[in-house]
Amino acid sequence: MKNPPALEQLIESLRCLPGVGPKSALRMAYYLLQRDRKGASGLAYALSNALETVGHCQLCNNFSEQPTCSTCASEKRDTSLLCVVEMPTDVMMLEQTQSYDGLYFVLMGRLSPLDGIGPKEINLDKLIKRAQTGAENKSVNEVILATNYTVEGEATAHYIMELLKARNIKVSRIARGLPMGGEIEYVDSGTLAQAIVERKRVN
Amino acid sequence: MKNPPALEQLIESLRCLPGVGPKSALRMAYYLLQRDRKGASGLAYALSNALETVGHCQLCNNFSEQPTCSTCASEKRDTSLLCVVEMPTDVMMLEQTQSYDGLYFVLMGRLSPLDGIGPKEINLDKLIKRAQTGAENKSVNEVILATNYTVEGEATAHYIMELLKARNIKVSRIARGLPMGGEIEYVDSGTLAQAIVERKRVN
């Protein structure tokens, strides 16, 4: 007694989703076929449709249905600033702060040699070209590195910094320190040490 | 700054998978579009294909690509026995024991009123008809209830038992007791109490 081949194939295919192992895949397949066939057909369509229509913005490398995304195409942005982030969600977070009006470059990942993610996978060629030539003949004055303050994010920022420095492009890194509402008693010592090193004169 | 519509739609559609919330759906969508477009298109195909070809066996209600599944169609099975289980995986487990050669009926779930799963959702009409009329004019002598020994599985077994008793069909329930290798010191008291109540004379 085995599952029908098409069901086995579905179980196998579901395993391409990150974080889905054999047991979850089995549960998902049974659930879809038994209780949510409409959802399953919607998912099949959404997958095909997204694969067909969603590509990358030629300037910022973010997901986009047009060759140039709406942020890069906007005339209200300061084209002299280029903020480098790891993921599209980071762009959304920065936009929510409403304190940055420059443009972005989305790496779509971070350097992670153990996972096989090197400079090519995070599109560094494209970033260098973008930083050197600018967009529509408007050159980039400063590249702001806004990768995460994790080990991998730091390594990525360092690597990019070296690349850009060799090409005489001004590079900065987002500040590190106590978070808003942070209490010295509860903050970790790494953050606190950095906050002291990067102290800012106030008078 | 928002995700492109086709990407938003994919994120939304991924949420139909059980156990997938907004954060997981976002991560999955990014992963598929960025790192595994081949897997995504395979998944889209597998979903459509499974929806098209996988239906239910008219006799046992298990998933099947044919109107009658291979187990029900087999001539080696004892057609007088009908074992009722919750899920297709239960059939596989029972087949692995190689100690049962009757036929099956797969409920595809268990009674769970809070989740909106009542007698209709677990195909009890089909089960009653199957138990009463048999397959290919071979009548069913005994229905073995092999739902789980959980609260919901027990309730389901009880409900089915009442339905079948009213129609004069012989019903049994799989045994409860200590598992193989079970030590009295470590077994839970409910199991132990049941093992005493259902003790079996050995001389």
Side-chain angles (χ1 to χ4, degrees):
Chain A
M1 156 69 215
K2 264 187 156 185
N3 281 320
L7 179 54
E8 281 297 332
Q9 193 196 1
L10 174 58
I11 295 167
E12 189 53 39
S13 298
L14 282 165
R15 293 197 51 195
C16 80
L17 297 170
V20 174
K23 286 241 164 183
S24 303
L26 189 74
R27 193 165 61 101
M28 285 174 170
Y30 284 174
Y31 175 86
L32 289 176
L33 286 176
Q34 185 59 26
R35 305 243 175 271
D36 196 5
R37 285 189 169 237
K38 213 174 138 196
S41 95
L43 177 56
Y45 170 76
L47 279 164
S48 308
N49 186 39
L51 286 171
E52 206 170 292
T53 62
V54 181
H56 292 279
C57 169
Q58 58 188 356
L59 291 174
C60 74
N61 197 43
N62 202 345
F63 290 123
S64 172
E65 294 184 12
Q66 275 77 43
T68 305
C69 76
S70 57
T71 309
C72 288
S74 166
E75 299 202 341
K76 291 181 186 158
R77 316 288 308 201
D78 180 350
T79 53
S80 68
L81 289 173
L82 187 68
C83 181
V84 179
V85 297
E86 295 181 13
M87 298 298 293
T89 31
D90 301 332
V91 175
M92 282 181 234
M93 290 304 289
L94 281 162
E95 285 296 284
Q96 274 175 32
T97 66
Q98 300 192 324
S99 62
Y100 177 76
D101 69 346
L103 295 174
Y104 294 94
F105 188 88
V106 185
L107 299 171
M108 294 288 173
R110 57 209 68 83
L111 288 178
S112 177
L114 289 179
D115 302 322
I117 298 174
K120 206 177 263 176
E121 280 70 30
I122 59 169
N123 310 289
L124 291 191
D125 292 350
K126 195 170 166 184
L127 167 60
I128 299 299
K129 207 181 133 211
R130 172 76 178 81
Q132 276 186 312
T133 61
E136 294 161 13
N137 301 322
K138 285 165 192 155
S139 65
V140 174
N141 286 339
E142 181 181 349
V143 173
I144 303 169
L145 300 177
T147 56
N148 292 331
Y149 269 116
T150 55
V151 176
E152 290 171 341
E154 278 277 73
T156 307
H158 211 84
Y159 192 92
I160 296 173
M161 189 199 64
E162 294 291 343
L163 287 177
L164 294 176
K165 220 167 64 174
R167 287 163 180 81
N168 287 317
I169 297 166
K170 190 174 155 192
V171 189
S172 60
R173 181 91 170 96
I174 51 166
R176 220 170 2 180
L178 259 70
M180 283 279 281
E183 295 179 50
I184 290 175
E185 186 178 350
Y186 298 115
V187 91
D188 67 291
S189 59
T191 302
L192 195 56
Q194 205 64 36
I196 291 169
V197 170
E198 294 183 13
R199 67 190 178 278
K200 217 172 142 184
R201 188 158 171 179
V202 286
N203 68 341
Chain B
M1 156 72 217
K2 264 186 157 185
N3 281 320
L7 179 55
E8 281 297 333
Q9 193 196 3
L10 174 58
I11 295 167
E12 189 54 41
S13 298
L14 281 165
R15 295 197 51 195
C16 79
L17 297 169
V20 174
K23 286 243 165 182
S24 303
L26 189 73
R27 193 165 60 101
M28 285 174 170
Y30 284 173
Y31 175 86
L32 289 176
L33 285 177
Q34 185 60 28
R35 305 240 176 274
D36 197 4
R37 284 188 170 238
K38 214 176 136 194
S41 93
L43 176 56
Y45 170 76
L47 280 164
S48 308
N49 187 40
L51 286 171
E52 206 170 291
T53 60
V54 181
H56 292 279
C57 169
Q58 58 188 352
L59 290 175
C60 74
N61 197 43
N62 201 345
F63 290 123
S64 172
E65 293 183 12
Q66 276 77 44
T68 306
C69 76
S70 56
T71 309
C72 288
S74 166
E75 299 202 340
K76 290 180 187 158
R77 315 288 307 200
D78 180 351
T79 54
S80 68
L81 288 174
L82 188 67
C83 181
V84 178
V85 298
E86 294 181 13
M87 297 299 291
T89 31
D90 301 332
V91 175
M92 282 181 235
M93 291 304 289
L94 281 162
E95 286 296 283
Q96 273 176 32
T97 67
Q98 302 191 324
S99 63
Y100 177 74
D101 69 345
L103 293 174
Y104 294 95
F105 187 88
V106 185
L107 299 172
M108 295 288 173
R110 57 209 69 82
L111 287 178
S112 176
L114 288 180
D115 302 323
I117 299 175
K120 207 176 262 175
E121 280 71 29
I122 59 169
N123 310 289
L124 291 190
D125 291 350
K126 196 169 165 183
L127 167 61
I128 299 299
K129 207 181 132 212
R130 172 76 177 81
Q132 276 186 313
T133 59
E136 292 159 13
N137 302 322
K138 285 163 191 155
S139 65
V140 173
N141 285 340
E142 182 180 348
V143 173
I144 303 169
L145 299 177
T147 56
N148 291 331
Y149 269 114
T150 55
V151 175
E152 289 171 343
E154 278 278 73
T156 308
H158 210 85
Y159 192 92
I160 297 172
M161 188 198 66
E162 294 291 344
L163 287 177
L164 295 176
K165 220 167 65 177
R167 287 162 180 82
N168 286 319
I169 297 166
K170 190 173 154 194
V171 188
S172 60
R173 180 90 170 95
I174 51 167
R176 218 168 5 179
L178 260 68
M180 282 280 281
E183 295 180 49
I184 290 174
E185 186 178 349
Y186 299 113
V187 91
D188 67 290
S189 58
T191 303
L192 195 56
Q194 204 64 35
I196 291 169
V197 171
E198 293 181 18
R199 66 190 179 278
K200 218 172 139 185
R201 189 158 170 179
V202 287
N203 67 342

